C-alpha cells in the first residue's frame, strides 16, 4: 500500500480511501497524498465542491481499500487548476504521533481528533498542550467557538483520524478571535515544547 501511495504522491493524483470498518462501505475520503510512512498517510482533502479543504491523517491499518487514481481524478485536478488551487505541504513530521499533535496545534491553532472506536459519533477540537508516549492533554474549543475552562486528557492511541487546516477549524478560530475577553479562560502560555519524556 505504501508503494502505491507514494506513486500517487509523485504523480500528483487524487486517491480515494475507504475505511469500511470505521466508516461503512459507502463512505470514503478523496485527497492528494502529501506524505506517508509505514503507519500513516497525510492527505490534502478535496471536498464535494472540488476545493482543497484542509488536511487529514489516516492510519494505514484502518484502510480497507483505496483507488488510485480516484474515479474523478482528471475532473478534480482540472477544476482545481482552473481555480488556481495547488497542493501545499504543511511540513509536519509523521514519525512521532505526540510531536505531530503538538506541531499541528502550534502551527495551525486547532486540530480535530477522532476516536471512532471509543466515541464513534463525536470528535474533539482544540489544541494539544502536552503529549507523551501514552496520553495527550487537549484544550478544547466548543461549537460556539469558546474555549472550555478545563483541559482534558485522552489516550494517544485511541486516535483514529486527525484533521487540521480546514474551513471549519478556520471558522472557529475566526469567531474566537472576534470575541475578545469573552472567548476563553485559559493561560496564554504553552509549555516549553509540550513534549513529556517517559522518564
Amino acid at each position: 500500500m505504501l508503494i502505491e501511495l507514494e506513486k500517487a504522491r509523485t504523480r500528483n493524483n487524487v486517491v480515494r480511501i475507504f475505511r469500511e470498518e470505521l466508516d461503512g462501505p459507502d463512505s470514503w475520503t478523496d485527497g492528494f497524498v502529501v506524505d506517508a510512512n509505514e503507519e500513516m498517510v497525510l492527505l490534502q482533502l478535496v471536498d464535494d465542491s472540488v476545493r482543497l479543504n484542509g488536511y487529514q491523517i489516516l492510519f494505514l491499518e484502518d484502510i480497507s481499500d483505496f483507488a488510485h487514481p480516484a474515479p474523478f481524478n482528471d475532473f478534480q485536478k482540472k477544476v482545481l487548476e482552473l481555480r488556481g488551487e495547488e497542493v501545499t505541504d504543511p511540513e509536519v513530521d509523521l514519525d512521532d504521533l505526540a510531536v505531530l499533535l503538538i506541531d499541528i496545534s502550534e502551527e495551525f491553532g486547532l486540530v480535530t481528533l477522532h476516536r471512532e472506536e471509543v466515541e464513534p459519533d463525536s470528535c474533539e477540537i482544540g489544541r494539544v498542550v502536552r503529549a507523551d508516549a501514552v496520553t495527550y492533554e487537549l484544550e478544547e474549543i466548543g461549537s460556539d467557538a469558546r474555549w472550555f475552562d478545563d483541559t482534558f486528557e485522552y489516550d494517544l492511541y485511541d486516535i483514529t483520524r486527525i484533521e487540521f487546516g480546514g474551513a471549519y477549524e478556520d471558522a472557529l478560530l475566526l469567531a474566537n478571535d472576534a470575541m475578545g475577553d469573552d472567548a476563553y479562560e485559559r493561560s496564554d502560555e504553552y509549555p516549553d515544547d509540550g513534549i513529556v519524556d517517559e522518564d
Side-chain angles (χ1 to χ4, degrees):
M1 182 183 296
L2 185 57
I3 293 173
E4 287 301 314
L5 290 171
E6 181 61 23
K7 285 181 183 177
R9 187 190 68 79
T10 57
R11 295 172 185 174
N12 198 37
N13 282 332
V14 180
V15 298
R16 175 164 291 181
I17 292 182
F18 298 84
R19 300 183 312 153
E20 187 168 347
E21 186 172 333
L22 292 174
D23 299 330
D26 300 320
S27 296
W28 60 78
T29 296
D30 280 0
F32 292 93
V33 177
V34 179
D35 194 9
N37 62 18
E38 293 181 353
E39 295 183 358
M40 293 177 268
V41 57
L42 168 63
L43 304 169
Q44 186 161 19
L45 299 178
V46 181
D47 66 18
D48 291 341
S49 61
V50 196
R51 294 185 181 277
L52 296 176
N53 187 10
Y55 300 91
Q56 185 177 90
I57 295 170
L58 300 175
F59 294 86
L60 267 59
E61 66 181 7
D62 296 326
I63 296 174
S64 56
D65 196 9
F66 76 100
H68 167 234
F72 301 103
N73 173 67
D74 292 342
F75 165 72
Q76 290 167 314
K77 288 174 66 174
K78 184 61 177 179
V79 171
L80 291 170
E81 179 185 353
L82 291 169
R83 287 175 167 165
E85 297 190 33
E86 297 182 355
V87 177
T88 304
D89 187 345
E91 298 182 357
V92 295
D93 190 346
L94 301 181
D95 290 338
D96 186 307
L97 184 56
V99 174
L100 173 66
L101 296 180
I102 293 291
D103 287 349
I104 291 171
S105 298
E106 291 180 339
E107 291 298 320
F108 290 86
L110 290 177
V111 58
T112 300
L113 298 169
H114 298 260
R115 299 176 302 124
E116 294 150 303
E117 293 180 344
V118 178
E119 296 285 345
D121 299 320
S122 64
C123 63
E124 291 81 39
I125 305 176
R127 67 175 191 169
V128 176
V129 296
R130 183 196 60 80
D132 58 30
V134 179
T135 63
Y136 63 95
E137 185 177 355
L138 186 68
E139 287 184 337
E140 294 186 31
I141 194 168
S143 56
D144 61 354
R146 287 182 167 85
W147 293 100
F148 293 3
D149 291 339
D150 298 319
T151 61
F152 301 88
E153 186 174 274
Y154 298 98
D155 290 341
L156 187 68
Y157 287 97
D158 281 345
I159 297 171
T160 54
R161 178 163 39 119
I162 302 166
E163 294 167 336
F164 60 97
Y168 185 62
E169 290 94 352
D170 288 347
L172 288 173
L173 286 174
L174 185 65
N176 181 267
D177 287 344
M179 290 178 187
D181 293 339
D182 295 328
Y184 51 86
E185 296 178 15
R186 63 179 176 83
S187 170
D188 288 331
E189 295 186 3
Y190 249 83
D192 290 341
D193 61 4
I195 305 300
V196 178
D197 293 331
E198 290 184 82
D199 302 333

